[in-house]
């Protein structure tokens, strides 16, 4: 699904992604007030132009399912060269959980097999974000 504005038209997430902070600023506005956990992806071409924003799943207060098949289906259909993973923490604390770290590693491995780079994973909470890439959490 595509995030829609109040009048029902598709909301432009951002034309290009240059930095994690730029991407996070837009995604904070989209996700910070969600009452449940939302897992989404931003699909990008080789020049980091945004092709699509896709909501993969909605979960409960503290979890959301994100199976590689569901994550990469939208990326493949958008002909994406890379994706940015994003999800919110309704608790407001953007610190990643051990499950977040494991999921990120799993999705990076799946992306590698498919030829779709996972460029970052942003966790949004209370006007803040955690970037796996910025913090060196890529292992």
């Amino acid at each position: 699904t595509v995030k829609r504005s109040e009048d029902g038209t598709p909301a432009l997430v951002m034309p290009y992604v240059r930095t994690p902070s730029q991407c996070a600023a837009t995604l904070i506005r989209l996700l910070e007030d969600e009452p449940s956990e939302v897992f989404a992806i931003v699909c990008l071409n080789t020049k980091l132009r945004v092709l699509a924003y896709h909501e993969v799943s909605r979960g409960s207060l503290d979890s959301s399912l994100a199976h590689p098949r569901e994550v990469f289906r939208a990326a493949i259909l958008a002909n994406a060269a890379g994706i940015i993973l994003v999800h919110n923490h309704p608790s407001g604390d953007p610190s990643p959980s051990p499950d977040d770290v494991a999921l990120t590693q799993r999705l990076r491995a799946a992306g590698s097999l498919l030829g779709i780079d996972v460029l970052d994973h942003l966790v949004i909470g209370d006007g803040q974000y955690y970037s796996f890439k910025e913090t060196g959490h890529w292992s």
Side-chain angles (χ1 to χ4, degrees), residues 67-119:
H67 192 277
R69 175 179 55 244
E70 304 303 322
V71 170
F72 287 100
R73 177 183 300 142
I76 291 167
L77 291 173
N79 202 26
I83 61 172
I84 296 172
L85 310 171
V86 60
H87 77 279
N88 66 316
H89 281 175
S91 69
D93 180 3
S95 303
S97 69
D99 286 342
D100 293 339
V101 174
L103 176 63
T104 302
Q105 292 170 343
R106 184 174 180 207
L107 291 175
R108 287 185 73 203
S112 179
L113 287 172
L114 292 169
I116 299 173
D117 292 331
V118 176
L119 302 169

Side-chain angles (χ1 to χ4, degrees), residues 119-130:
L119 302 169
D120 201 350
H121 184 170
L122 301 173
V123 184
I124 306 298
D126 261 356
Q128 307 170 69
Y129 73 95
Y130 179 94

